[in-house]
Amino acid sequence: MAAWDDGDGRRDGGAEASFAAFLAAYNDINAMYDAFARRSGVSVTEFWALLYVSEGVTEQHELARTLSLSRQTVNSAISKLVERGYVELVPDATDRRVKHVRLTPAGEAFASEHIGALHGLEERLWSGFDEYDRNELGALLAEFRDAMRVALSSVWDDDPPPLHRSARSRRR
Protein backbone atom coordinates (compact mmCIF):
# COMPACT_ATOMS: atom_id res chain seq x y z
CA MET A 1 0.00 0.00 0.00
CA ALA A 2 1.40 3.41 -0.97
CA ALA A 3 1.81 6.23 1.53
CA TRP A 4 -1.50 7.91 2.32
CA ASP A 5 -3.35 5.19 0.41
CA ASP A 6 -6.91 4.83 1.69
CA GLY A 7 -6.79 1.05 1.16
CA ASP A 8 -8.53 1.17 -2.23
CA GLY A 9 -5.49 2.47 -4.10
CA ARG A 10 -6.64 6.09 -3.88
CA ARG A 11 -4.67 8.86 -2.23
CA ASP A 12 -6.14 10.03 1.10
CA GLY A 13 -5.31 13.73 0.97
CA GLY A 14 -7.29 14.41 4.15
CA ALA A 15 -5.14 12.03 6.20
CA GLU A 16 -1.98 13.47 4.68
CA ALA A 17 -3.03 17.05 5.42
CA SER A 18 -4.16 16.31 8.97
CA PHE A 19 -0.90 14.48 9.70
CA ALA A 20 1.07 17.44 8.33
CA ALA A 21 -0.91 19.72 10.67
CA PHE A 22 -0.23 17.36 13.59
CA LEU A 23 3.53 17.34 12.86
CA ALA A 24 3.63 21.12 12.51
CA ALA A 25 1.87 21.56 15.86
CA TYR A 26 4.13 18.95 17.51
CA ASN A 27 7.28 20.66 16.20
CA ASP A 28 6.02 24.11 17.21
CA ILE A 29 5.21 22.93 20.74
CA ASN A 30 8.67 21.33 21.07
CA ALA A 31 10.30 24.54 19.83
CA MET A 32 8.36 26.54 22.45
CA TYR A 33 9.46 24.16 25.24
CA ASP A 34 13.07 24.40 24.02
CA ALA A 35 12.88 28.20 23.94
CA PHE A 36 11.44 28.23 27.48
CA ALA A 37 14.32 26.03 28.67
CA ARG A 38 17.02 28.17 27.03
CA ARG A 39 15.49 31.40 28.36
CA SER A 40 15.78 30.01 31.86
CA GLY A 41 19.57 30.25 31.47
CA VAL A 42 20.51 26.60 31.00
CA SER A 43 20.70 24.26 28.01
CA VAL A 44 17.64 22.32 26.94
CA THR A 45 19.13 19.05 28.23
CA GLU A 46 20.10 20.66 31.54
CA PHE A 47 16.57 22.03 31.95
CA TRP A 48 14.89 18.63 31.43
CA ALA A 49 17.46 16.93 33.66
CA LEU A 50 16.65 19.45 36.42
CA LEU A 51 12.94 18.88 35.90
CA TYR A 52 13.23 15.11 36.24
CA VAL A 53 15.61 15.34 39.21
CA SER A 54 13.05 17.63 40.88
CA GLU A 55 10.47 14.87 40.25
CA GLY A 56 12.63 12.18 41.85
CA VAL A 57 14.67 10.66 39.01
CA THR A 58 18.09 10.66 40.65
CA GLU A 59 20.31 8.18 38.80
CA GLN A 60 22.09 9.34 35.65
CA HIS A 61 21.34 6.13 33.72
CA GLU A 62 17.66 6.61 34.55
CA LEU A 63 17.81 10.24 33.40
CA ALA A 64 19.37 9.09 30.12
CA ARG A 65 16.60 6.54 29.62
CA THR A 66 13.87 8.99 30.57
CA LEU A 67 15.21 11.71 28.28
CA SER A 68 16.02 9.24 25.46
CA LEU A 69 19.60 10.55 25.41
CA SER A 70 22.99 8.88 25.65
CA ARG A 71 24.61 8.54 29.06
CA GLN A 72 27.47 10.72 27.83
CA THR A 73 25.07 13.56 26.94
CA VAL A 74 23.35 13.34 30.33
CA ASN A 75 26.67 13.07 32.19
CA SER A 76 27.89 16.20 30.42
CA ALA A 77 24.70 18.10 31.34
CA ILE A 78 24.95 16.93 34.96
CA SER A 79 28.61 18.05 35.10
CA LYS A 80 27.55 21.51 33.93
CA LEU A 81 24.77 21.60 36.51
CA VAL A 82 27.29 20.67 39.22
CA GLU A 83 29.53 23.54 38.01
CA ARG A 84 26.55 25.92 38.11
CA GLY A 85 25.80 24.79 41.67
CA TYR A 86 22.30 23.45 40.84
CA VAL A 87 22.96 19.79 41.65
CA GLU A 88 25.37 17.65 43.60
CA LEU A 89 26.32 13.99 43.23
CA VAL A 90 25.74 11.90 46.34
CA PRO A 91 27.06 8.33 46.67
CA ASP A 92 24.42 5.63 47.15
CA ALA A 93 24.24 4.34 50.70
CA THR A 94 24.59 0.68 49.66
CA ASP A 95 26.49 0.84 46.36
CA ARG A 96 29.29 3.42 46.39
CA ARG A 97 29.69 3.10 42.60
CA VAL A 98 26.23 4.65 42.13
CA LYS A 99 25.89 8.40 42.53
CA HIS A 100 22.51 10.07 42.91
CA VAL A 101 21.83 13.51 41.50
CA ARG A 102 20.34 15.82 44.13
CA LEU A 103 19.21 19.42 43.85
CA THR A 104 21.19 21.92 45.88
CA PRO A 105 19.40 24.90 47.46
CA ALA A 106 20.25 26.86 44.28
CA GLY A 107 18.79 24.01 42.19
CA GLU A 108 15.65 23.99 44.32
CA ALA A 109 15.31 27.74 43.79
CA PHE A 110 15.78 27.27 40.02
CA ALA A 111 13.15 24.50 39.97
CA SER A 112 10.73 26.57 42.00
CA GLU A 113 11.12 29.61 39.77
CA HIS A 114 11.46 28.16 36.27
CA ILE A 115 9.97 24.67 36.41
CA GLY A 116 7.21 25.92 38.69
CA ALA A 117 6.43 28.69 36.18
CA LEU A 118 6.28 26.17 33.34
CA HIS A 119 3.98 23.84 35.29
CA GLY A 120 1.74 26.78 36.20
CA LEU A 121 1.55 27.87 32.57
CA GLU A 122 0.75 24.34 31.40
CA GLU A 123 -1.91 23.87 34.05
CA ARG A 124 -3.55 27.21 33.20
CA LEU A 125 -3.57 26.44 29.47
CA TRP A 126 -4.75 22.84 29.91
CA SER A 127 -7.60 23.87 32.22
CA GLY A 128 -8.74 26.25 29.46
CA PHE A 129 -9.92 23.22 27.49
CA ASP A 130 -13.17 21.58 28.53
CA GLU A 131 -13.01 18.16 30.16
CA TYR A 132 -14.11 16.29 27.02
CA ASP A 133 -11.38 17.89 24.88
CA ARG A 134 -8.69 17.26 27.53
CA ASN A 135 -9.66 13.60 27.79
CA GLU A 136 -10.01 13.16 24.02
CA LEU A 137 -6.64 14.75 23.25
CA GLY A 138 -4.88 12.65 25.88
CA ALA A 139 -6.55 9.47 24.64
CA LEU A 140 -5.77 10.17 20.96
CA LEU A 141 -2.12 10.95 21.67
CA ALA A 142 -1.77 7.79 23.79
CA GLU A 143 -3.37 5.76 20.99
CA PHE A 144 -0.97 7.24 18.42
CA ARG A 145 2.00 6.62 20.75
CA ASP A 146 0.99 2.98 21.26
CA ALA A 147 0.48 2.41 17.52
CA MET A 148 3.89 3.99 16.84
CA ARG A 149 5.57 1.67 19.37
CA VAL A 150 4.03 -1.38 17.68
CA ALA A 151 5.03 -0.11 14.22
CA LEU A 152 8.60 0.61 15.33
CA SER A 153 8.88 -2.80 16.99
CA SER A 154 8.15 -4.40 13.62
CA VAL A 155 11.00 -2.52 11.86
CA TRP A 156 13.66 -2.28 14.57
CA ASP A 157 15.81 -5.12 15.81
CA ASP A 158 15.41 -3.92 19.37
CA ASP A 159 12.59 -2.41 21.39
CA PRO A 160 11.59 1.25 21.09
CA PRO A 161 12.63 3.47 24.01
CA PRO A 162 10.68 2.82 27.21
CA LEU A 163 7.68 4.96 27.99
CA HIS A 164 8.15 7.82 30.41
CA ARG A 165 7.06 6.99 33.93
CA SER A 166 6.72 10.52 35.24
CA ALA A 167 3.30 11.94 35.86
CA ARG A 168 4.54 14.98 33.95
CA SER A 169 6.30 13.37 30.99
CA ARG A 170 8.45 15.75 29.00
CA ARG A 171 10.85 15.59 26.15
CA ARG A 172 14.43 16.72 26.50
Side-chain angles (χ1 to χ4, degrees):
M1 187 164 38
W4 306 113
D5 186 322
D6 67 359
D8 293 331
R10 295 179 304 223
R11 188 165 188 83
D12 186 349
E16 186 175 8
S18 64
F19 188 71
F22 164 76
L23 283 181
Y26 172 84
N27 289 330
D28 289 345
I29 291 167
N30 280 334
M32 287 183 253
Y33 274 105
D34 288 353
F36 186 94
R38 282 190 300 277
R39 288 176 184 221
S40 72
V42 296
S43 76
V44 172
T45 303
E46 291 169 34
F47 184 88
W48 297 121
L50 282 166
L51 182 140
Y52 279 111
V53 169
S54 75
E55 292 180 353
V57 179
T58 65
E59 292 184 31
Q60 292 185 51
H61 73 90
E62 232 182 280
L63 283 167
R65 183 195 57 78
T66 300
L67 294 168
S68 299
L69 295 171
S70 70
R71 285 187 184 193
Q72 294 87 347
T73 299
V74 170
N75 290 346
S76 176
I78 295 301
S79 293
K80 291 224 167 110
L81 292 170
V82 168
E83 287 174 23
R84 293 177 192 270
Y86 290 144
V87 299
E88 60 187 351
L89 297 175
V90 180
D92 185 83
T94 58
D95 186 349
R96 301 303 265 176
R97 296 170 299 166
V98 175
K99 293 194 171 141
H100 294 275
V101 183
R102 183 169 60 194
L103 294 177
T104 63
E108 289 175 7
F110 179 95
S112 177
E113 179 181 350
H114 298 287
I115 294 169
L118 179 61
H119 287 338
L121 178 68
E122 291 169 326
E123 290 164 8
R124 186 172 38 98
L125 294 171
W126 193 250
S127 66
F129 294 103
D130 66 38
E131 182 178 5
Y132 175 83
D133 287 344
R134 289 190 305 260
N135 292 337
E136 194 66 17
L137 180 58
L140 286 170
L141 288 172
E143 187 176 335
F144 182 80
R145 177 208 57 216
D146 294 344
M148 179 64 87
R149 286 181 65 75
V150 169
L152 290 174
S153 293
S154 71
V155 245
W156 288 353
D157 291 336
D158 58 352
D159 291 331
L163 299 176
H164 291 160
R165 296 179 301 146
S166 172
R168 294 180 157 285
S169 291
R170 301 278 191 273
R171 83 177 266 292
R172 64 182 187 289

